[in-house]
Amino acid sequence: MKNSILIIGAGAAGSMAAYLLSKAGKNVTLLEARNRAGGRIYTLNDISFFNHTELGAEFIHGDLPVTINLLKEAGISYRSANAEMWQFRNNCFEANSMVINDWDKLLEKLNELKQDTNIYDFLLKEFPGIKYEELRDSVWKYVSGYDTADPRQASAFALRKEWQNEEPDTQHRVNGGYGAVITFLLNQCKANGGEVFFNTVAKEIKWQDGKVSVFTTDGKAYEAEILIIAIPLGVLQAKHSHTATVTFNPPVPEHLFALKQIGFGSVIKVLFEFKRSFWLDTKIQETTNHNINAMGYLFSDQEIPTWWTQVPDNSNVLTGWIGGPAAHSKLNLTDSDIALQGLQSLSVIFKCTVQELKGELIASRIMNWTADPFTLGSYAYDMINSADARKVLNTPVSHTLYFTGEYLYEGAAMGTVEAALSSATYVANKILGNK
């Protein structure tokens, strides 16, 4: 058991930690509840449909150093995902019209804010009445759509920090999909002597200083000197009766309380592959009165409000996205129900019938991440006490239990693969410094 490390969760954070620690000569064992690695990275590689299309994480939101450096190390290339952002509102298309009225006033008031509050209450107080109804509605859509957060819980301070550090013109996609990154990390881990076990659901963690045992649902026990918990925040927050919930023996009350102080969003992702890019038809172009060849991202008021193409790539795939409270309200809908809502949304936007769309549709995939038992949500967002909670969670328990994940990242790229990789790097360095 010398220099042995157990990791629960083979998502981006767990895989990165396994790679770094095995590379440093540690004896690493990685336990994954699913039958695949990657967690919220889920690249489809069916050569018939959705080849290299993402059901989970899809974009590199900016020139993010940890992600870019890892891609270079792995010899994985990436390409631009920059494209025009459009809106469909009042039954019309508006090209490159993403300006939110009174946004400068909003930032000005946020900069004056001395005590944190949730963004919903902040807006009601500072921008009340009919005059600012559009601003409040736009911010609600932005926070729930982009951050997948509940605006009634999301920290105004954290959103201020995010909005001051946005890089809207630098979006990338990974060639071959993010799954190629996970494959690289785990292959390197195995090459360094590490072990990876799938379909292995951890249920109980028994620990004492310098020794830990993880008991799984199949009755097995795994032992090590150190345990890294790379489980999604949604699962760590879940009730004890849930499929993937782990218990700690003895309990770690301070850390468990801190886990509840960080928000975890909701999201549903919809993939439609059509026979052809029907939205580029002359008929559609005439109906919309726009040349939409370069349209990448489309925002609407429909049931599934956000859509994007694969521009600048040529593709017949449309991706739908709904986040925040609206996504959570669909927790118990079937995939068929959600797919129908997606088609109904597109029928309104592109002024065609659902039957016409069904005639063009050749494949669909729905990923309701909030209903997924090993995720239970999308990604983290800050609530009022999240910064203090992260300080607790980034402190190991007796140099034996370590938490890692995108929710523990301190920078501006919260909720991203970059956040997960950065957190794992931090934990690996901390462990390697504890020789």
Side-chain angles (χ1 to χ4, degrees), residues 391-419:
K391 290 177 184 175
V392 172
L393 292 162
N394 278 322
T395 303
V397 181
S398 300
H399 299 298
T400 304
L401 304 181
Y402 292 77
F403 289 83
T404 188
E406 47 86 16
Y407 66 98
L408 294 178
Y409 169 75
E410 298 280 0
M414 192 172 179
T416 62
V417 174
E418 174 81 2

Side-chain angles (χ1 to χ4, degrees), residues 152-169:
R152 294 162 295 196
Q153 300 288 336
S155 158
F157 277 5
L159 289 167
R160 178 176 68 186
K161 177 182 175 183
E162 175 190 316
W163 294 337
Q164 288 172 342
N165 288 277
E166 285 184 313
E167 294 182 75
D169 295 323

Side-chain angles (χ1 to χ4, degrees), residues 142-318:
Y142 192 12
V143 172
S144 60
Y146 185 78
D147 297 282
T148 70
D150 186 337
R152 294 162 295 196
Q153 300 288 336
S155 158
F157 277 5
L159 289 167
R160 178 176 68 186
K161 177 182 175 183
E162 175 190 316
W163 294 337
Q164 288 172 342
N165 288 277
E166 285 184 313
E167 294 182 75
D169 295 323
T170 51
Q171 304 292 322
H172 313 286
R173 282 190 179 95
V174 179
N175 290 335
Y178 264 122
V181 178
I182 300 298
T183 298
F184 168 78
L185 293 174
L186 294 190
N187 283 345
Q188 291 298 307
C189 173
K190 291 174 186 176
N192 293 327
E195 294 184 294
V196 183
F197 295 95
F198 295 105
N199 301 305
T200 303
V201 183
K203 289 303 289 181
E204 184 183 10
I205 297 166
K206 287 187 176 180
W207 67 278
Q208 61 190 51
D209 289 5
K211 183 180 180 182
V212 65
S213 299
V214 174
F215 298 87
T216 60
T217 53
D218 59 2
K220 293 181 180 177
Y222 298 83
E223 294 188 343
E225 295 172 328
I226 288 173
L227 174 66
I228 298 174
I229 300 142
I231 300 172
L233 179 60
V235 176
L236 291 170
Q237 293 177 338
K239 295 178 181 177
H240 288 304
S241 58
H242 191 268
T243 304
T245 306
V246 294
T247 57
F248 293 83
N249 185 10
V252 286
E254 188 179 9
H255 285 67
L256 293 178
F257 178 78
L259 288 168
K260 304 283 189 182
Q261 307 307 306
I262 302 174
F264 198 62
S266 301
V267 78
I268 298 170
K269 200 168 184 182
V270 178
L271 296 184
F272 288 150
E273 185 163 344
F274 296 93
K275 295 175 184 175
R276 59 201 175 87
S277 304
F278 71 87
W279 55 95
L280 300 181
D281 285 357
T282 303
K283 174 193 168 188
I284 297 290
Q285 302 269 3
E286 290 173 351
T287 304
T288 60
N289 196 31
H290 278 89
N291 180 356
I292 58 176
N293 290 48
M295 181 184 71
Y297 308 93
L298 178 63
F299 304 92
S300 75
D301 291 325
Q302 297 306 303
E303 192 68 29
I304 307 298
T306 302
W307 296 88
W308 59 80
T309 67
Q310 298 290 305
V311 166
D313 300 343
N314 292 321
S315 173
N316 299 332
V317 172
L318 282 180

Side-chain angles (χ1 to χ4, degrees), residues 37-50:
R40 283 162 282 172
I41 288 175
Y42 192 0
T43 304
L44 299 177
N45 287 310
D46 189 322
I47 58 172
S48 300
F49 308 111
F50 304 121

